[in-house]
Amino acid sequence: MTQQGAVLQGYNNELVKCIEDLCMQKEELNKQIQQAEEEKNKLQHEIQVLSEQLECVCENLAQKVASRNELDKILAETEVAYMKILDSSRTLLNVLKKEVGSLKHMPELKTN
């Protein structure tokens, strides 16, 4: 029976060793899980910060595009008005030239 007890003791020692190895593997895996969770939380925080920054940039961009569109409208209206002024100036100049030309053909006024 002592021989069977020795064999049983050997099995028990091997079983305890296997359980200790599994416990060590579990501890290592728990460390890796904790590191992964910390990395995940860090990345989620960075995503949140970047999302907020993106939202601000998008709002700013939309405001700038709206301002540019308003400036484009003002410039277009100004150019149309300026072209009307140029056309009116040309018409006024032509009328003035005709009047000056007419005056050249008129006899001079005599002063008494």
Side-chain angles (χ1 to χ4, degrees):
M1 242 323 194
T2 55
Q3 190 177 10
Q4 290 174 336
V7 171
L8 184 59
Q9 182 64 35
Y11 290 154
N12 186 46
N13 290 340
E14 201 173 324
L15 182 60
V16 168
K17 173 81 168 110
C18 286
I19 291 172
E20 287 175 352
D21 287 347
L22 288 174
C23 286
M24 288 176 51
Q25 287 179 2
K26 179 183 172 189
E27 286 179 30
E28 180 60 32
L29 191 55
N30 279 337
K31 286 180 188 177
Q32 292 174 3
I33 289 171
Q34 184 178 358
Q35 289 174 344
E37 286 176 345
E38 289 172 1
E39 181 68 15
K40 178 187 132 189
N41 290 336
K42 177 184 166 194
L43 291 173
Q44 284 179 327
H45 177 71
E46 289 176 9
I47 288 170
Q48 181 181 357
V49 168
L50 289 173
S51 294
E52 291 170 2
Q53 288 177 349
L54 177 62
E55 185 178 337
C56 288
V57 168
C58 287
E59 289 174 6
N60 191 313
L61 178 63
Q63 291 173 351
K64 288 181 179 185
V65 167
S67 295
R68 183 190 63 193
N69 291 343
E70 185 64 24
L71 286 174
D72 285 344
K73 178 182 171 188
I74 291 169
L75 281 170
E77 291 171 354
T78 302
E79 286 177 4
V80 167
Y82 185 70
M83 293 307 290
K84 287 180 181 179
I85 291 171
L86 287 178
D87 189 48
S88 294
S89 296
R90 184 177 58 242
T91 301
L92 178 61
L93 181 61
N94 288 338
V95 168
L96 185 60
K97 284 180 179 178
K98 284 182 186 178
E99 292 296 321
V100 169
S102 298
L103 288 175
K104 287 182 181 178
H105 297 300
M106 290 182 72
E108 286 189 32
L109 293 175
K110 295 182 182 178
T111 56
N112 289 340

